[in-house]
Amino acid sequence: MSKKLKIGLFGFGVVGQGLLDIIRGQDLNLEIIKIAIKNPEKKRTLDAHLFTTDHDELLNNSEINTIVELIDDADAAYNIVKRALISGKNVVSANKKMIATHLAELVELQNKHDASLLYEGAVCGSIPIIRNLEEYYDNELLHGISGIFNGSSNYILSKIFNENLEYGVALKQAQDLGFAESNPILDVGGYDPKFKLAIATAHAYGLFINPDNILNVGIQHLSENDIRYAREKNFKIKLVPTARKISTKQVVTYVLPKFVKSDDFLYNVENEYNGVTVQAAFADKQFFFGKGAGGHPTGAAVLSDIAALRYDYRYEYRKYNQHNGLLHTDDVNLEVYLRYTHEYTVEKLQIENIVERFSRDDYKYVIGNVNLKNLIANWALLEQKDVFIAHTGKYTYTEKQIEALAQEGVLLS
């Protein structure tokens, strides 16, 4: 039999409202006791007695057994979630930056205080990828997980490639529709998908990786020349976070724009939709698709977590607890397209095995191999306005890596 959840809700924005819309009219054996908000002056449809600006009214209330955290501020969210877990309250959160940054500590806290922290809504909106990685793939050897994790940047790229809109016009549309923030760098700069990738990697591989150690390069410097090049080759450009096994015990992670071919699942993921590709040893390649942004899609994922708490559900982090010996590395060679202005950019990144080169006064590019270590070492260079880099999808392996991966049955690209 399910237990009754008495909920303290932090935040009543788009996702909070979406969650309430879904809960209304359903018999779910739960009750919202109090809602913490930032702005008490704002007109709201619910009874004013439900709202408070005092966090202690929720965190110190012994009647409340479940905290649902849906605020934007990662630091404030961390303090809320930490206090809730220490007091033995279960927590549902959708704050990807906070979870990615503090995951190892929060997992330790929930174990110590016999509480549960669930966060399906933090990664890819309505797609149940965390629960699937945790339950369905718990004993699977995963070769890779990648996809489109950010609806805002994908909306912009869709408008550019499908409707010939300029980057600035597409960005403005995304902002007007509420898909992108007034300062959109978290989305278009690849930070948002990086936080989501860090969380997914914890469940896919049992690795708790500090997001600061994951390279993220975005689409904010995409030019007409880059778009024209992709079109001529019949590619689309997508912003793709990737976690990939490159040897028996090594996993790489990064977020880069990628040239996507028409036979790739991600090619037809458009607008605010997300898509996740999981490549597994036994189940082979599988694809998850769904809305990645918006109050109702994310609210549905949050409600799924809330419902699971009625039966005392917890993530078990089996791969982490197995101590499988996997290590996070940045020693892998990627084939990339690099558009640049100054020759020292190519030299500094140590681009090798160049297979294509083009140069005219207003447009220069090369296609060649670069080590991920060199990209990380020159991160600031990659964020300059006259530089754009995209992964072609190809890797270069050492003979030792090829041998080890072949034994595991990994298909090399």
Side-chain angles (χ1 to χ4, degrees), residues 49-61:
H49 295 299
L50 262 179
F51 297 98
T52 180
T53 56
D54 183 0
H55 291 186
D56 289 346
E57 280 195 44
L58 285 71
L59 293 168
N60 294 342
N61 186 333

Side-chain angles (χ1 to χ4, degrees), residues 82 85-86 104-115:
K82 186 175 178 179
L85 292 174
I86 289 170
E105 180 193 354
L106 295 176
V107 169
E108 201 175 301
L109 281 175
Q110 67 171 345
N111 292 339
K112 186 177 176 182
H113 299 282
D114 196 28

Side-chain angles (χ1 to χ4, degrees), residues 23 31 40 61 95 113 120 124 138 151 168 188 199 236 267 286 304 363 372 376 404 406 411:
I23 288 173
E31 181 186 355
N61 186 333
N95 195 308
H113 299 282
E120 189 69 70
C124 297
D138 60 332
V188 298
I199 297 167
K236 286 180 182 174
Y267 189 85
Q286 295 179 313
S304 171
Y363 178 38
L372 183 57
I376 292 169
L411 294 169

Side-chain angles (χ1 to χ4, degrees), residues 105-177:
E105 180 193 354
L106 295 176
V107 169
E108 201 175 301
L109 281 175
Q110 67 171 345
N111 292 339
K112 186 177 176 182
H113 299 282
D114 196 28
S116 178
L117 168 65
L118 303 180
Y119 40 78
E120 189 69 70
V123 183
C124 297
S126 65
I127 300 173
I129 191 61
I130 299 301
R131 196 83 62 87
N132 272 288
L133 289 170
E134 182 70 18
E135 302 292 334
Y136 184 82
Y137 295 107
D138 60 332
N139 292 305
E140 264 275 22
L141 293 168
L142 295 186
H143 300 327
I145 175 169
S146 63
I148 292 164
F149 289 14
N150 181 264
S152 309
S153 55
N154 199 51
Y155 179 90
I156 292 164
L157 290 167
S158 293
K159 293 294 171 184
I160 289 169
F161 277 88
N162 301 334
E163 298 177 25
N164 298 319
L165 292 193
E166 291 179 3
Y167 175 85
V169 176
L171 171 59
K172 177 73 168 58
Q173 265 193 27
Q175 289 171 320
D176 291 345
L177 288 164

Side-chain angles (χ1 to χ4, degrees), residues 303-347:
L303 181 59
S304 171
D305 281 345
I306 293 169
L309 286 176
R310 295 178 306 165
Y311 303 96
D312 297 315
Y313 178 75
R314 292 174 76 175
Y315 299 140
E316 292 184 40
Y317 302 95
R318 292 188 188 102
K319 291 187 176 177
Y320 172 73
N321 291 320
Q322 282 165 3
H323 305 290
N324 54 26
L326 286 178
L327 297 170
H328 186 232
T329 183
D330 48 19
D331 189 12
V332 66
N333 289 315
L334 312 173
E335 186 181 79
V336 296
Y337 160 97
L338 176 74
R339 190 246 309 148
Y340 63 98
T341 300
H342 306 290
E343 287 300 330
Y344 71 72
T345 306
V346 178
E347 291 161 19

Side-chain angles (χ1 to χ4, degrees), residues 66-69 81 84-85 89-93 116-118 309:
T66 305
I67 294 293
V68 177
E69 179 280 305
V81 170
L85 292 174
K89 297 183 194 297
N90 293 329
V91 178
V92 173
S93 173
S116 178
L117 168 65
L118 303 180
L309 286 176

